[in-house]
Amino acid sequence: MMLKKQYIAFFPALVMVGCTSQQAMQESNKPVRQGNVEITQTQTIQVKPTPKPVVTPPPVAKPSYNSFYDWKSDFSMRAIASGNDAATVRRLLDSAYLNQQVISLDSGQPEFSKMPWEYVDSAVSDGRVSTGKRKFAEQRAYLSQLESQYGVSAEIVAAIWGMESSYGVVTGNSSLPSSLGSLAYDGRRQEFAETQLLSLATLLQRGDVSWSQLEGSWAGGMGQTQFIPATWLKHGVDGDGDGHRNPWATGDALASTANYLSNSGWVRGLAPFYEATVPTSFDYSTVGSKQSAARWAAMGVDTIADVSLDANTEMELWLPAGKDGPVLLLSPNFDVIKVYNNSSSYALGVSLLGKAITGQGGLQKSWPRYERPLSTTQVRNLQQRLTSAGYDTKGADGIVGTNTRMAFQRWQGDNNQTPDGFITQSSASSLASW
């Protein structure tokens, strides 16, 4: 494959880098006599800085309020004292009411974790793809202009538009002041929610958001690409040239999405992922690690399609459904997509939707749809047992995250399983049930 040949050509350079780093240590020669022979003994001394003591500040107790009204009064006083416009703050809070459903949604957990193909199936549903093709055609010239200006692939911007609001159709019907106020009053994410409220007040003051547009998602997302207020305040741009940065305006929303991804480190011309294959003798313990493209090629990882990549590009090998599912080499752009939603399944869904609406093919390897997920209770049992056995999951919250997958992968390697980190009813049966 073209990719592999190019990688190997660069690989010796990587070895030389490793040798150079070893020479950074200090060396001293000490002559030693054995009989009449003097032997020069080389002693390597590695100089380490004296660690500074870590000072942990005492925890700051969060204020508690007797009622939602008490929180509003206190927050209003603090916001105005910090220099925010008093009339705007009071008007914003006057419209806010306590929404218990928002608090329940924020703290709720699904009964079962989803398998990756369930998320992908939803992302590339027939309706979303067909509408996406039509919308992409309508906005092709503008999206191409944004790609030229910001470097972000046009189909990725369009796919986020589709994922976040069904191309501007579903932008949310929850009162933003009430949703954010309820989250702040609940206390679990008080600082986050209060920051969003202050940012929303600024957007109202400068005229980017009108008082009639204060509806969005229960979590604070607003507009056609569901920015939270603070992120819009920082990355929102006037794409349609009307003098305002309005997240509900198509031109502004698409341009701001491209700007946000660009500011987050998007690499021009690099796909979010490349489907690949691994050799029969592959060391699965490396799954989930980040290595240079050259190093992956040296291990026998090869892309299915011929692609040209810089040998030094850092890639992550991801098996979203274990050894029997697709093999993906993730580029840095995959992580950039996750600034929108810190979920690998979300980033994969966006990437595949982008391919679909531009007529490209999807994944070639089939999903192992016979596998079944664990319930939340089973995941919690799994986490507790792994941690007790010395494979720390950093908590037992019932959610399969990176720490849990990595701990399970290490357990697999020590217990005669292929260490692919894929947690299912079959692979985790001995740990997930009491």
Side-chain angles (χ1 to χ4, degrees):
M1 302 290 287
M2 184 197 312
L3 175 65
K4 188 180 293 183
K5 290 177 182 176
Q6 288 189 355
Y7 284 174
I8 292 175
F10 283 88
F11 191 66
L14 299 177
V15 178
M16 291 300 295
V17 171
C19 295
T20 303
S21 64
Q22 293 177 358
Q23 294 169 2
M25 296 182 180
Q26 295 182 3
E27 294 186 355
S28 63
N29 294 331
K30 295 183 178 180
V32 178
R33 284 196 175 275
Q34 292 183 0
N36 295 321
V37 181
E38 184 176 89
I39 301 173
T40 300
Q41 183 179 31
T42 302
Q43 183 181 29
T44 302
I45 304 171
Q46 187 169 9
V47 180
K48 295 182 179 179
T50 303
K52 295 180 180 180
V54 178
V55 179
T56 304
V60 179
K62 290 184 179 180
S64 63
Y65 303 96
N66 294 323
S67 68
F68 187 61
Y69 176 82
D70 287 346
W71 168 80
K72 288 206 295 184
S73 298
D74 180 60
F75 175 63
S76 176
M77 183 173 57
R78 288 185 283 117
I80 294 169
S82 298
N84 293 277
D85 181 69
T88 304
V89 170
R90 291 192 180 110
R91 184 177 175 183
L92 187 64
L93 292 177
D94 282 346
S95 66
Y97 58 86
L98 180 62
N99 189 334
Q100 289 290 353
Q101 184 181 14
V102 167
I103 296 173
S104 298
L105 288 169
D106 185 53
S107 59
Q109 288 186 10
E111 184 179 355
F112 284 88
S113 56
K114 275 191 174 183
M115 286 304 197
W117 52 84
E118 295 179 271
Y119 200 101
V120 168
D121 288 347
S122 174
V124 295
S125 65
D126 292 342
R128 202 190 299 268
V129 172
S130 61
T131 303
K133 287 180 176 179
R134 177 169 53 83
K135 289 292 186 179
F136 187 81
E138 291 174 2
Q139 298 289 338
R140 184 183 297 274
Y142 185 56
L143 289 167
S144 297
Q145 175 191 325
L146 294 178
E147 181 171 348
S148 177
Q149 181 178 355
Y150 295 103
V152 180
S153 304
E155 64 267 22
I156 294 299
V157 174
I160 288 176
W161 186 28
M163 291 282 282
E164 294 296 332
S165 70
S166 294
Y167 311 99
V169 174
V170 184
T171 58
N173 57 7
S174 295
S175 160
L176 289 170
S178 300
S179 295
L180 293 169
S182 299
L183 291 173
Y185 170 66
D186 177 56
R188 194 175 75 88
R189 292 200 290 164
Q190 180 180 343
E191 184 178 353
F192 162 82
E194 290 186 350
T195 298
Q196 303 314 311
L197 280 168
L198 293 177
S199 297
L200 185 57
T202 301
L203 293 171
L204 287 161
Q205 275 182 258
R206 72 184 193 187
D208 292 335
V209 173
S210 70
W211 288 98
S212 63
Q213 288 179 314
L214 295 183
E215 288 190 339
S217 75
W218 67 265
M222 58 183 192
Q224 294 201 27
T225 48
Q226 292 292 287
F227 274 77
I228 56 174
T231 304
W232 183 266
L233 197 60
K234 183 176 181 180
H235 300 283
V237 295
D238 179 14
D240 57 19
D242 69 350
H244 295 286
R245 287 166 277 183
N246 189 328
W248 283 269
T250 301
D252 293 357
L254 297 180
S256 299
T257 296
N259 182 51
Y260 184 28
L261 296 179
S262 176
N263 292 344
S264 299
W266 187 272
V267 181
R268 186 185 294 265
L270 196 62
F273 75 84
Y274 299 90
E275 191 170 3
T277 59
V278 297
T280 305
S281 58
F282 183 68
D283 178 9
Y284 282 87
S285 66
T286 61
V287 170
S289 67
K290 292 185 177 182
Q291 313 276 353
S292 69
R295 193 164 184 84
W296 284 123
M299 291 186 224
V301 179
D302 201 6
T303 56
I304 290 177
D306 284 340
V307 295
S308 180
L309 293 172
D310 187 306
N312 296 315
T313 300
E314 190 176 71
M315 313 285 280
E316 177 183 343
L317 188 67
W318 183 39
L319 306 184
K323 60 183 175 56
D324 296 323
V327 177
L328 306 179
L329 273 175
L330 309 181
S331 82
N333 286 346
F334 192 87
D335 285 336
V336 172
I337 295 173
K338 290 166 68 176
V339 300
Y340 245 94
N341 182 332
N342 191 22
S343 159
S344 294
S345 292
Y346 173 84
L348 180 59
V350 166
S351 303
L352 290 172
L353 179 59
K355 284 176 172 288
I357 62 180
T358 52
Q360 303 175 58
L363 297 173
Q364 294 193 27
K365 184 69 181 291
S366 299
W367 297 103
R369 293 178 181 271
Y370 51 84
E371 295 285 8
R372 293 291 176 265
L374 270 60
S375 68
T376 301
T377 300
Q378 288 177 314
V379 173
R380 193 175 292 112
N381 292 344
L382 171 76
Q383 291 168 326
Q384 291 171 349
R385 284 193 163 185
L386 283 171
T387 299
S388 297
Y391 307 92
D392 191 5
T393 62
K394 311 296 183 184
D397 57 3
I399 300 172
V400 177
T402 300
N403 290 327
T404 299
R405 280 191 293 269
M406 290 178 64
F408 183 67
Q409 184 181 13
R410 293 193 298 272
W411 177 87
Q412 284 179 305
D414 292 339
N415 288 273
N416 300 315
Q417 283 193 24
T418 300
D420 58 8
F422 189 39
I423 298 173
T424 68
Q425 290 287 351
S426 57
S427 66
S429 59
S430 62
L431 291 170
S433 301
W434 296 111

